């Protein structure tokens, strides 16, 4: 019996991996189609072919909106597609050269093979063999600035893909977002004074910075509990492409759509808000040789950060620049500028058979002044709990920053049928 | 009774949805010459034997077949067939006759295990009357054209696009990224010389990252007092559905600012944000029958070229600062309120279909409607004189806006209008 099971397992595995021929990067080129409209054309072609050949569904599963499409071109015949792969990070269906001609029309094949004319991203992993690491990398990157689920819901961040509301083509590529604070500049949750509301996709985010509506603190500021930044009204923009992640934002006071409720409109003595911030980092993936994907995936993000804290007071409803702090410190300018190098490490445990990692760990240092650590424990694929610790490594705590603080959150994730 | 009625309606509704989901209509052009000949050769012989060749004398053995197939209740059936000649004129083949002729050959056609191509609905579908064709929402020919209109106005469809009004794009094919220079802030309604700033940066298919530099427009005609430029940064994003832009400028940055036109009345955009939804449409051309000079008969010619029209509708917010440079730095007198800063904008971008390497006409028009002030219009018309040389004419107008100066008096800023003729080299 044991022997039969072993043979069966071996046969199944052999069958699955037989289709993934080892490709030589010298002979072939591979990229992933990112231009939405061309992705839809590929989806339509696969659907049409399945309409003509319904019995082929076992060899050619239906295309899911979240599937990646990989084009493989032979350098010996650069006018034709050698293979098309589609699927997610662990399961790809390979359409070989002959069937590519049956499934995709000539004009679409010609369009897809001209990669310099549309939006694509690298798919080098097809040359590296089929590694679990890629699934982990996608998970970490999506969790950082996009979402691994149709809906991600927590106290500090909400992402809802437009596919939740609409079946329109491309709706799973865009989402709406709400977030509190900004971990990247060491100001998580309420400490930044702002919330962000915007539109985003895998590559960009843009929206408004507004004073936060939620005034309750999801944790405890151990030291410096009055030192929370005020809210202001402004905007932000971010992009993530080719391993580079950057974000910048700006804001000011005196907007009629709602100042921070903590600021008295008539007179307010010590107002501090982030009027400009920015950060940029580059993703370095720790190779599987160093950390075996069986245990997890790690991404390092070295970069730079900058933010400016504007010091103001309001007298008789008029906003004025301020050069003194409550403890008598004299500022050179009404804005304090903080900048320096940053290092962020994102790590997850191995993605289990249910499609989620049990642990997600983030640690970050901004110069040597600010240290942030975050641990997420995923109880199931849909629910997890997190704890965040933020520490300012200085004996001189500024009027807007806390020394030690800890926050707790619940993460909920929902996926709807494709 | 009521219950039975409700259930019946529900069943009917469910059934209609199920049918709508399972039934499918697919059409294509057979481009495998062997398949075309394998079918048409014997079919012409069959027509000859059955004395039907004369009434089908337009069908040739070298034609390409157009096949339309439908899944009806789980079964694949032929619902349309035509033979298309070298001039892309399709001649319908009777489906009933085709089935009578050889059902195994029809089956071979329907299986589509050969090279084929999509049908260009614009050039062919009009001549395929009487043949059941899918009303495809998405078609590769159309999408290629739509991509071109997006490329042309986002960056360039070519490799180099260098315009005398300072709109430069160099697109590097090997990395699919580029370098660009652009004068002004188009979405906010300050294009070209209505702004004394220039954006210089890196562009790609979806993103532009740039720095903003104060700049003196090279040339322009009209009566205008442009918005001042200040050093800053910006990011723009564009996709077929959504686009956005965010930029920040600070006139107090300790960088060269000697090109301020009027240091006692400085108006500059402190930050700008825009978000838009876009959709692209096909604009059909108009054909006319014309006599041929050297050949007998008539031929069809476009009297109005078909093209693609992209429409963007969105919101822009721009925070304008009014102040002046004094000995102790920049003094802010007034700034636009949220209501004054908000604009609704509509923009259309149109190109005629590419012939060879050239899109003959490129037209863009934009209107910004402010809730209070900041209303403006702008347009650009480009005509390709040669493959590589384009003549363009741009114009823009922005309505006046009132600020309060240091003494509380009104200062009316009149951005005015400009007209800029230009030449562009596209390679």
């Amino acid at each position: 019996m044991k022997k039969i099971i072993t043979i069966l397992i071996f046969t199944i595995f052999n069958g699955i991996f037989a289709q993934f021929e080892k490709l030589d990067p010298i002979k072939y080129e591979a990229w992933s189609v990112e231009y939405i409209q061309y992705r839809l054309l590929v989806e339509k072609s696969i659907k049409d072919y399945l309409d003509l050949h319904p019995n082929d569904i076992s060899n050619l599963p239906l295309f899911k909106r979240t599937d990646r499409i990989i084009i493989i071109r032979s350098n010996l015949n650069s006018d034709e597609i050698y293979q098309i792969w589609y699927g997610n990070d662990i399961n790809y269906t390979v359409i070989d050269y002959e069937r590519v001609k049956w499934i995709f029309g000539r004009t679409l094949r010609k369009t897809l093979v001209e990669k310099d004319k549309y939006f694509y991203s690298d798919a080098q992993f097809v040359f590296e063999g089929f590694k679990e690491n890629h699934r982990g990398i996608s998970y970490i990157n999506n969790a950082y600035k996009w979402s691994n689920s149709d809906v991600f819901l927590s106290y500090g961040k909400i992402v809802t893909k437009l596919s939740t509301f609409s079946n329109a083509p491309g709706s799973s590529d865009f989402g709406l977002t709400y977030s509190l604070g900004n971990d990247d500049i060491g100001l998580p949750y309420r400490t930044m004074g702002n919330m962000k509301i915007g539109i985003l996709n895998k590559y960009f985010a843009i929206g408004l910075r507004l004073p936060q509506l939620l005034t309750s603190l999801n944790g405890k500021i151990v030291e410096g509990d009055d030192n929370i930044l005020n809210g202001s009204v402004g905007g932000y923009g971010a992009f993530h492409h080719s391993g580079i992640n950057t974000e910048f934002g700006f804001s000011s006071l005196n907007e009629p759509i709602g100042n921070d409720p903590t600021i008295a409109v008539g007179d307010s003595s010590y107002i501090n808000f982030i009027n400009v911030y920015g950060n940029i980092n580059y993703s370095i993936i720790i190779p599987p040789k160093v950390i075996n994907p069986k245990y997890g995936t790690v991404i390092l993000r070295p970069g730079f950060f900058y933010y400016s804290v504007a010091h103001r007071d309001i007298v008789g409803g008029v906003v004025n620049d301020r050069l003194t702090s409550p403890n008598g410190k004299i500022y050179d300018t009404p804005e304090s500028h903080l900048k320096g190098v940053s290092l962020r490490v994102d790590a997850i445990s191995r993605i289990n058979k249910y499609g989620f990692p049990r642990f997600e760990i983030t640690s970050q240092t901004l110069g040597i002044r600010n240290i942030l650590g975050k641990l997420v424990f995923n109880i199931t694929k849909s629910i997890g709990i997190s704890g965040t610790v933020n520490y300012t490594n200085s004996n001189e705590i500024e009027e807007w920053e806390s020394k030690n603080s800890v926050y707790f959150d619940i993460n909920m994730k929902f996926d709807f049928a494709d | 009774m009521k219950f039975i009625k409700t259930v019946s309606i529900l069943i009917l509704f469910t059934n209609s949805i199920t049918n709508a989901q399972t039934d499918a209509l697919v059409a294509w052009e057979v481009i495998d010459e062997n398949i075309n000949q394998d079918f048409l050769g014997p079919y012409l012989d069959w027509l000859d034997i059955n004395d039907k060749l004369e009434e089908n004398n337009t069908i040739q053995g070298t034609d390409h077949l157009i096949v339309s197939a439908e899944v009806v209740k789980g079964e694949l059936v032929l619902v349309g067939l035509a033979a298309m000649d070298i001039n892309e004129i399709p001649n319908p083949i009777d489906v009933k006759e085709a089935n009578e002729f050889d059902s195994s050959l029809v089956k071979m056609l329907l299986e589509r295990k050969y090279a084929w191509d999509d049908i260009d609905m614009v050039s062919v579908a009009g001549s395929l009357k009487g043949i059941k064709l899918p009303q495809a929402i998405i078609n590769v020919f159309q999408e290629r054209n739509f991509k071109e209109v997006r490329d042309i106005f986002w960056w360039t469809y070519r490799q180099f696009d260098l315009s005398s009004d300072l709109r430069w794009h160099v697109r590097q094919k090997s990395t699919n990224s580029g370098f660009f220079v652009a004068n002004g802030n188009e979405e906010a309604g300050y294009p070209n010389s209505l702004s004394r700033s220039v954006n210089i940066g890196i562009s790609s298919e979806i993103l532009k990252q740039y720095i903003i530099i104060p700049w003196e427009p090279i040339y322009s005609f009209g009566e205008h007092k442009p918005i001042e430029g200040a050093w800053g940064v910006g990011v723009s994003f564009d996709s077929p559905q959504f686009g956005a832009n965010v930029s920040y400028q600070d006139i107090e940055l300790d960088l060269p600012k000697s090109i301020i036109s009027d240091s006692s009345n400085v108006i500059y955009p402190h930050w700008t944000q825009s978000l838009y939804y876009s959709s692209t449409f096909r604009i059909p051309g108009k054909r006319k029958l014309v006599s041929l000079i050297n050949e007998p008969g008539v031929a069809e010619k476009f009297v109005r070229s078909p093209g693609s029209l992209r429409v963007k509708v969105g919101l822009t917010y721009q925070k304008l600062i009014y102040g002046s440079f004094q000995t102790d730095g920049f003094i802010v007198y007034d700034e636009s309120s949220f209501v004054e800063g908000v604009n609704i904008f509509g923009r259309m971008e149109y190109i005629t279909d590419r012939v060879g390497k050239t899109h003959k006409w490129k037209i863009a028009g934009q209107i910004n409607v402010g809730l209070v002030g900041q209303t403006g219009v702008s347009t650009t018309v480009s005509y390709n004189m040669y493959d590589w040389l384009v003549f363009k004419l741009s114009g823009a107008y922005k309505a006046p806006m009132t600020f309060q100066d240091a003494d509380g008096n009104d200062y009316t800023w009149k951005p005015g209008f400009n007209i800029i003729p230009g030449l562009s080299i596209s390679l």
Side-chain angles (χ1 to χ4, degrees), chain A residues 52-64:
Chain A
L52 299 176
H53 304 92
N55 296 332
D56 270 11
I57 191 96
S58 52
N59 300 321
L60 203 69
L62 273 173
F63 184 88
K64 291 183 187 136

Tab-separated table of all heavy atoms in Angstrom, chain A residues 52-64:
chain	number	residue	atom	x	y	z
A	52	LEU	N	-14.406	26.848	-27.511
A	52	LEU	CA	-14.298	25.960	-28.674
A	52	LEU	C	-13.906	24.541	-28.254
A	52	LEU	O	-14.242	23.578	-28.944
A	52	LEU	CB	-13.258	26.500	-29.661
A	52	LEU	CG	-13.537	27.887	-30.268
A	52	LEU	CD1	-12.369	28.328	-31.144
A	52	LEU	CD2	-14.809	27.878	-31.098
A	53	HIS	N	-13.146	24.450	-27.159
A	53	HIS	CA	-12.672	23.137	-26.693
A	53	HIS	C	-12.968	22.967	-25.214
A	53	HIS	O	-12.049	23.007	-24.381
A	53	HIS	CB	-11.154	22.995	-26.910
A	53	HIS	CG	-10.740	23.212	-28.318
A	53	HIS	ND1	-10.363	24.440	-28.796
A	53	HIS	CD2	-10.687	22.364	-29.371
A	53	HIS	CE1	-10.078	24.334	-30.084
A	53	HIS	NE2	-10.271	23.087	-30.459
A	54	PRO	N	-14.229	22.793	-24.864
A	54	PRO	CA	-14.561	22.699	-23.426
A	54	PRO	C	-13.873	21.529	-22.729
A	54	PRO	O	-13.662	21.563	-21.521
A	54	PRO	CB	-16.084	22.545	-23.425
A	54	PRO	CG	-16.487	22.265	-24.819
A	54	PRO	CD	-15.406	22.692	-25.732
A	55	ASN	N	-13.483	20.510	-23.491
A	55	ASN	CA	-12.842	19.350	-22.856
A	55	ASN	C	-11.397	19.625	-22.448
A	55	ASN	O	-10.789	18.831	-21.736
A	55	ASN	CB	-12.879	18.141	-23.792
A	55	ASN	CG	-14.304	17.710	-24.054
A	55	ASN	OD1	-15.177	17.920	-23.211
A	55	ASN	ND2	-14.551	17.160	-25.236
A	56	ASP	N	-10.852	20.756	-22.912
A	56	ASP	CA	-9.455	21.085	-22.592
A	56	ASP	C	-9.294	21.771	-21.246
A	56	ASP	O	-8.189	22.155	-20.878
A	56	ASP	CB	-8.866	22.006	-23.679
A	56	ASP	CG	-8.229	21.202	-24.786
A	56	ASP	OD1	-8.438	19.985	-24.799
A	56	ASP	OD2	-7.540	21.794	-25.633
A	57	ILE	N	-10.394	21.924	-20.517
A	57	ILE	CA	-10.359	22.683	-19.263
A	57	ILE	C	-9.364	22.092	-18.265
A	57	ILE	O	-8.777	22.810	-17.455
A	57	ILE	CB	-11.785	22.797	-18.644
A	57	ILE	CG1	-11.814	23.815	-17.493
A	57	ILE	CG2	-12.323	21.458	-18.168
A	57	ILE	CD1	-12.264	25.154	-17.888
A	58	SER	N	-9.122	20.776	-18.341
A	58	SER	CA	-8.170	20.170	-17.398
A	58	SER	C	-6.734	20.577	-17.728
A	58	SER	O	-5.901	20.740	-16.838
A	58	SER	CB	-8.301	18.649	-17.428
A	58	SER	OG	-8.199	18.213	-18.758
A	59	ASN	N	-6.448	20.758	-19.031
A	59	ASN	CA	-5.092	21.168	-19.417
A	59	ASN	C	-4.938	22.683	-19.389
A	59	ASN	O	-3.832	23.201	-19.297
A	59	ASN	CB	-4.778	20.709	-20.847
A	59	ASN	CG	-4.869	19.215	-20.972
A	59	ASN	OD1	-4.464	18.510	-20.062
A	59	ASN	ND2	-5.430	18.740	-22.071
A	60	LEU	N	-6.056	23.368	-19.541
A	60	LEU	CA	-6.022	24.814	-19.696
A	60	LEU	C	-7.055	25.428	-18.745
A	60	LEU	O	-8.174	25.739	-19.155
A	60	LEU	CB	-6.377	25.147	-21.161
A	60	LEU	CG	-5.915	26.465	-21.724
A	60	LEU	CD1	-4.414	26.492	-21.893
A	60	LEU	CD2	-6.584	26.701	-23.071
A	61	PRO	N	-6.689	25.574	-17.485
A	61	PRO	CA	-7.685	26.100	-16.533
A	61	PRO	C	-8.094	27.526	-16.869
A	61	PRO	O	-7.346	28.250	-17.542
A	61	PRO	CB	-6.953	26.041	-15.193
A	61	PRO	CG	-5.525	25.878	-15.505
A	61	PRO	CD	-5.400	25.288	-16.859
A	62	LEU	N	-9.256	27.909	-16.405
A	62	LEU	CA	-9.743	29.268	-16.656
A	62	LEU	C	-8.775	30.294	-16.091
A	62	LEU	O	-8.195	30.091	-15.030
A	62	LEU	CB	-11.112	29.465	-15.999
A	62	LEU	CG	-12.324	29.047	-16.823
A	62	LEU	CD1	-13.572	29.152	-15.974
A	62	LEU	CD2	-12.481	29.897	-18.083
A	63	PHE	N	-8.633	31.376	-16.787
A	63	PHE	CA	-7.738	32.456	-16.375
A	63	PHE	C	-8.389	33.228	-15.233
A	63	PHE	O	-9.551	33.609	-15.316
A	63	PHE	CB	-7.498	33.378	-17.571
A	63	PHE	CG	-6.521	34.478	-17.322
A	63	PHE	CD1	-5.170	34.278	-17.538
A	63	PHE	CD2	-6.941	35.720	-16.884
A	63	PHE	CE1	-4.260	35.288	-17.303
A	63	PHE	CE2	-6.040	36.745	-16.650
A	63	PHE	CZ	-4.696	36.525	-16.864
A	64	LYS	N	-7.626	33.457	-14.166
A	64	LYS	CA	-8.149	34.262	-13.057
A	64	LYS	C	-7.612	35.680	-13.199
A	64	LYS	O	-6.473	35.871	-13.635
A	64	LYS	CB	-7.696	33.672	-11.720
A	64	LYS	CG	-8.339	32.348	-11.420
A	64	LYS	CD	-7.897	31.860	-10.051
A	64	LYS	CE	-8.391	30.461	-9.824
A	64	LYS	NZ	-7.403	29.582	-9.254
